[in-house]
Amino acid sequence: MLIGEILNVDLDGDGRADGFQISVRNQFFHGSHPLGWFRDIAVTVDGETLPPAQTYLGLRGQLFRCDSLRSILEVFWKEREIATILVVRQHGLSAGPHRIECSIGTSVQTYTRALDLFDVRERGTLVLEQDFEVSGEMIALRGLL
Amino acid sequence: MNIASRLGASTWSIEGLLLQGGNSVERQIELIASTGAEIIDLPEYHLGFDPHPNLHRLHTIRDTIKANGLELSGIFFHTDLVAATDFYSAEKVIADLQEYLAVAGFLGAAAIEISNGNLIPSLSEQEARDRLLPIYEAIIPTAEYYGVVVAINAARPLTVSAFKSPESALGIVKEFDSPFLRVTPDFECWRITREGMPTKYVEAPNAVRGLATPLEVFADCLPYARRIEAKLYEFDEDGNEPNFPVDELMAMVEDNGAAFDISIEYEGWVPEIHPERDAYEETVKAVQLLQRYGLGRNRGGSK
């Protein structure tokens, strides 16, 4: 599910990296779910787990803070759709190899247009791990934060 | 076999191809048509219920189904009715189902396929049933208005799920005795336990698979059924499916004499079974197996 390359991002247009982003394709069975179905998204870089409050899920030009997804019922991450996970981190990532781990909590609740607000159903966690080579390339993402 | 019975398949049968390669919905419809199917089932997420469909997109899908010589039998909606009344409200659940029926009517579907869901810890079985019945009472008139059957999917043995079993779904259907509220018996309930096959369910990973449902329950369901889900997993050299008593089940369908939509859900492509096999080719085998019982027209099996 982790795809493509990892890129540093310039969020304020000053020419310096303020974070990085990775791409994730939704490969879940019955894949379309509201964002509240995907909880506890956490990114770990080289063994360091980054603060959820600085981690965002990006979909169709919109950013959602990963620790605020719980009640979002009417924005869906669709089957096979590529989302970005953006981490705000001063200076982004240094050039060179990095081990990235991304964990995504999910639910077995099966009503597509309802969220298990009270954690009645069992939950699962999908952990994605991949080695990336970070280049010096950086993209500008002004206007999102 | 009643000549008005129709044979087809759900695009779920080839979902593995979509996950691997990103087939479009249009391509999936073409593939199902080329298996020899005469009807097709679609899951909600292929129609854009995320959360609401795009009307132009629905036109395109409707036209694609027609252009491929298929008719839409069922749209499968993932529901968990009792739990959703607890998370939100019965009014929300009813409104969702009414929207599902309206879209199904627009697309010319015979039925929407829904699930009661499982019990939740805060409710007894009777309390949960008391929540379910008013929901069905509220949507039957909408189903009549759109000419679309509400089919309660029964895909779990009673020992696994109080409300997803044929017995419980049948009990609810009998309560109303409406042609617009029917039970859909799913072969899965009659699966023979075999070594190497999955014993757990995705939506209930802590529930170990129970014993197969008695065969006579399948016969009990048929007078209250419009559709039958033919879950199939694998085929031997002779094209037989060793996991289900297909001969016995199809004999009961023939004895019943009514016309049914029989929809194949080939699911051998999941990682736990045969991910290495071509889901399309296996779906063709599934269609050919059920054609032996006098169902459907032989339209080939060529991509």
Side-chain angles (χ1 to χ4, degrees), chain B:
Chain B
M1 194 63 65
N2 187 312
I3 58 168
S5 286
R6 305 187 297 179
L7 174 64
S10 165
T11 57
W12 178 250
S13 303
I14 51 173
E15 181 79 359
L17 298 177
L18 181 140
L19 290 170
Q20 289 163 19
N23 278 337
S24 65
V25 178
E26 287 84 346
R27 179 63 179 147
Q28 289 204 306
I29 293 169
E30 289 172 11
L31 287 171
I32 292 297
S34 69
T35 63
E38 33 184 3
I39 54 169
I40 187 169
D41 280 3
L42 292 172
E44 60 181 298
Y45 46 86
H46 285 174
L47 300 175
F49 281 94
D50 44 31
H52 304 289
N54 174 310
L55 185 54
H56 177 65
R57 184 83 186 115
L58 292 181
H59 273 274
T60 304
I61 290 171
R62 187 177 66 176
D63 292 349
T64 304
I65 291 169
K66 187 176 178 186
N68 281 278
L70 292 168
E71 292 183 78
L72 181 59
S73 174
I75 304 174
F76 201 104
F77 290 94
H78 295 279
T79 57
D80 189 352
L81 300 184
V82 175
T85 64
D86 200 55
F87 305 155
Y88 296 91
S89 66
E91 289 74 21
K92 178 213 167 14
V93 172
I94 291 167
D96 283 347
L97 296 175
Q98 288 172 331
E99 183 186 353
Y100 297 166
L101 285 164
V103 170
F106 173 80
L107 291 172
I112 63 168
E113 192 79 25
I114 62 173
S115 166
N116 289 327
N118 292 315
L119 281 173
I120 56 175
S122 60
L123 294 178
S124 69
E125 193 170 329
Q126 184 59 48
E127 288 169 330
R129 189 178 159 83
D130 290 345
R131 288 196 185 192
L132 277 174
L133 296 182
I135 292 172
Y136 288 117
E137 185 173 18
I139 64 167
I140 287 173
T142 313
E144 288 187 33
Y145 178 77
Y146 289 113
V148 175
V149 170
V150 175
I152 305 176
N153 185 262
R156 296 287 178 264
L158 189 58
T159 50
V160 173
S161 172
F163 283 135
K164 296 171 97 169
S165 68
E167 295 91 333
S168 55
L170 186 57
I172 290 169
V173 168
K174 283 183 174 177
E175 190 94 22
F176 294 96
D177 198 17
S178 162
F180 288 92
L181 184 66
R182 305 276 88 178
V183 59
T184 298
D186 188 317
F187 279 13
E188 176 64 26
C189 295
W190 290 274
R191 176 151 66 98
I192 301 158
T193 301
R194 292 179 71 239
E195 195 174 341
M197 296 299 287
T199 57
K200 298 188 175 179
Y201 301 104
V202 171
E203 83 283 7
N206 291 339
V208 176
R209 188 172 175 278
L211 292 173
T213 304
L215 272 171
E216 55 268 26
V217 176
F218 184 76
D220 293 343
C221 288
L222 293 179
Y224 299 90
R226 171 75 178 77
R227 291 161 38 78
I228 296 166
E229 293 278 345
K231 177 71 65 67
L232 300 168
Y233 291 111
E234 60 187 350
F235 308 96
D236 63 22
E237 288 179 355
D238 297 322
N240 294 313
E241 219 296 7
N243 298 286
F244 299 94
V246 179
D247 281 345
E248 288 88 340
L249 294 170
M250 294 309 294
M252 289 179 187
V253 173
E254 181 152 16
D255 287 347
N256 178 275
F260 300 97
D261 283 357
I262 301 183
S263 182
I264 291 163
E265 270 197 351
Y266 168 70
E267 201 173 276
W269 54 268
V270 299
E272 297 84 357
I273 304 180
H274 296 301
E276 76 288 356
R277 294 186 183 171
D278 184 312
Y280 172 79
E281 299 296 342
E282 298 302 304
T283 303
V284 170
K285 291 178 189 173
V287 171
Q288 289 171 343
L289 171 62
L290 295 189
Q291 282 175 336
R292 288 187 205 165
Y293 299 92
L295 285 164
R297 54 180 181 245
N298 188 353
R299 303 203 313 179
S302 162
K303 284 188 257 190

Side-chain angles (χ1 to χ4, degrees), chain A residues 27-30 32 73-74 76 78-80 108-118 120-122, chain B residues 12 15 18-19 22 44-45 50-52 78 80 84 87-88 92 96 99-100 118-119 121 203 205-206:
Chain A
Q27 287 282 95
F28 289 99
F29 292 168
H30 307 148
S32 287
L73 179 61
E74 298 193 343
F76 277 57
K78 303 175 189 180
E79 185 174 59
R80 284 190 56 79
V108 299
Q109 196 280 118
T110 53
Y111 195 138
T112 310
R113 297 210 303 200
L115 297 169
D116 182 3
L117 298 172
F118 313 115
V120 168
R121 302 288 185 226
E122 295 158 58
Chain B
W12 178 250
E15 181 79 359
L18 181 140
L19 290 170
E44 60 181 298
Y45 46 86
D50 44 31
H52 304 289
H78 295 279
D80 189 352
F87 305 155
Y88 296 91
K92 178 213 167 14
D96 283 347
E99 183 186 353
Y100 297 166
N118 292 315
L119 281 173
E203 83 283 7
N206 291 339

